[in-house]
């Protein structure tokens, strides 16, 4: 893709919304990216800001919004259809464990995509365009893997085929978790970003092991099994409140883990290998 065309797509990503496929909605991905940015060490933040500058956005919030939501905006466009399977992973209901051979054929799943784009982002010899794409994919996919139904089940397409009713409106369950709950419960986006950054900062470690992504995947899969599905079609206020608590916890973990990855591949922390 030529640079001019790529920049056009990047800027359009701030206004184009694809609600049927977004995870956490555009707001959730922006919150995760902004909270992670606030927790970065100085070296990693300088690198991220330089890369974000390629998108030619006026400020950091706009740049993060553009980058962290871009993968949803291009996944169904010509030339980018191959990226659609990278937003999720299907794991059987009968097992708590992720298997590369069974669940991620040819590396086309969110679990493999996170480590792939973390590795690309770490390569300074790549063009700024490629690194912007890697940063965008990494921010987005770390968010995606923490949405429980993005580590859900193939037989109902991650609950896209499960119809529910919430406050008199019809949705599918995947959409309910993606954006309906947050749209109803989130009162102040800036306060949420600050709260996540304050709570996450003390939990930062100085290293990141790519194998941890499997743990993140299995944790989300466990939530899909244990808490993501209501007992009936009509969503109660109690279930919605519980879902909101899970979502906030997953946003916190997403931002914290994204920070650790970025600090390790761009900043002063380290990438460790082994089990």
């Amino acid at each position: 893709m030529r640079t001019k065309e790529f920049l056009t797509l990047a800027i359009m990503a701030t206004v184009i919304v694809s609600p049927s496929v977004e995870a956490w909605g555009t707001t959730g991905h922006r919150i995760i990216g902004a909270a992670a940015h606030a927790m970065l060490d100085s070296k990693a933040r300088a690198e991220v800001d330089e890369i974000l500058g390629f998108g030619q956005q006026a400020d950091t919030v706009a740049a993060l919004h553009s980058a962290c939501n871009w993968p949803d905006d291009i996944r169904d466009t010509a030339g980018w259809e191959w990226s659609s399977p990278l937003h999720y992973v299907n794991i059987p209901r009968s097992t708590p464990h992720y298997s590369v051979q069974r669940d991620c054929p040819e590396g086309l799943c969110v679990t493999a995509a996170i480590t792939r784009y973390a590795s690309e982002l770490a390569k300074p010899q790549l063009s700024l365009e490629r690194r912007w794409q890697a940063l965008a994919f990494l921010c987005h996919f770390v968010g995606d893997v923490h949405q429980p139904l993005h580590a859900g089940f193939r037989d109902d397409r991650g609950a896209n085929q499960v119809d529910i009713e919430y406050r008199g409106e019809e949705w599918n369950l995947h959409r309910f978790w993606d954006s309906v709950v947050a749209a109803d419960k989130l009162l102040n986006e800036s306060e949420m970003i600050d709260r996540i950054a304050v709570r996450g900062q003390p939990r930062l470690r100085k290293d990141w092991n790519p194998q941890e992504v499997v743990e993140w995947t299995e944790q989300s899969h466990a939530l899909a099994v244990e808490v993501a599905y209501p007992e009936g079609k009509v969503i109660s206020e109690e279930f919605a409140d519980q879902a909101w608590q899970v979502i906030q916890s997953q946003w916190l973990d997403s931002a914290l883990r994204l920070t650790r990855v970025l600090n390790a591949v761009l900043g002063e922390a380290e990438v460790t290998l082994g089990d």
Side-chain angles (χ1 to χ4, degrees), residues 8-274:
T8 299
L9 273 174
I11 294 169
M12 286 174 64
T14 64
V15 295
I16 297 177
V17 177
S18 183
S20 63
V21 297
E22 63 193 18
W24 295 139
T26 55
T27 299
H29 281 294
R30 183 171 59 246
I31 287 172
I32 292 165
H37 185 271
M39 292 187 284
L40 291 174
D41 66 43
S42 58
K43 182 180 178 183
R45 184 178 293 111
E47 286 275 346
V48 166
D49 288 349
E50 180 180 356
I51 294 167
L52 286 173
F54 177 78
Q56 297 186 349
Q57 298 297 304
D59 56 60
T60 301
V61 173
L64 286 166
H65 175 90
S66 178
C68 295
N69 283 290
W70 175 74
D72 266 345
D73 294 314
I74 53 91
R75 62 186 286 178
D76 293 324
T77 61
W80 292 98
E81 300 94 335
W82 60 269
S83 70
S84 187
L86 303 184
H87 292 254
Y88 61 89
V89 59
N90 290 315
I91 300 174
R93 297 172 186 266
S94 58
T95 178
H97 298 300
Y98 163 84
S99 165
V100 174
Q101 293 77 16
R102 182 193 62 218
D103 306 323
C104 197
E106 301 179 6
L108 296 176
C109 74
V110 67
T111 310
I114 290 170
T115 55
R116 169 183 171 180
Y117 288 107
S119 178
E120 284 200 11
L121 185 59
K123 297 176 180 178
Q125 68 271 26
L126 294 181
S127 68
L128 199 56
E129 177 179 335
R130 283 280 300 278
R131 297 186 83 199
W132 190 96
Q133 292 179 10
L135 175 62
F137 279 132
L138 181 63
C139 178
H140 190 88
F141 293 149
V142 171
D144 274 358
V145 80
H146 287 84
Q147 205 275 50
L149 294 174
H150 278 248
F153 318 120
R154 180 175 285 105
D155 56 49
D156 63 12
R157 296 183 61 247
N160 274 289
Q161 295 176 336
V162 177
D163 294 327
I164 59 95
E165 179 183 318
Y166 178 57
R167 294 186 174 179
E169 294 190 63
E170 301 282 341
W171 309 95
N172 68 62
L173 185 62
H174 191 108
R175 179 73 180 279
F176 174 81
W177 279 90
D178 273 356
S179 54
V180 172
V181 179
D184 182 48
K185 304 290 187 181
L186 180 64
L187 299 178
N188 188 301
E189 182 175 328
S190 296
E191 288 183 2
M192 178 63 69
I193 292 168
D194 292 342
R195 187 182 314 135
I196 290 172
V198 169
R199 292 180 62 190
Q201 193 77 46
R203 293 171 51 186
L204 284 176
R205 299 208 315 260
K206 296 296 184 182
D207 67 291
W208 172 65
N209 185 335
Q211 186 60 28
E212 293 177 40
V213 182
V214 172
E215 299 174 16
W216 307 347
T217 302
E218 292 180 347
Q219 289 167 4
S220 281
H221 180 65
L223 291 173
V225 172
E226 297 167 6
V227 304
Y229 288 76
E231 293 183 359
K233 178 178 179 179
V234 178
I235 300 290
S236 67
E237 291 299 327
E238 180 182 9
F239 183 88
D241 288 340
Q242 291 172 346
W244 178 228
Q245 293 304 312
V246 172
I247 288 168
Q248 292 177 86
S249 177
Q250 291 298 93
W251 281 357
L252 170 61
D253 283 346
S254 300
L256 178 62
R257 290 162 172 173
L258 177 59
T259 305
R260 290 182 53 231
V261 176
L262 293 173
N263 281 346
V265 301
L266 296 176
E268 298 168 0
E270 296 182 357
V271 177
T272 60
L273 301 176

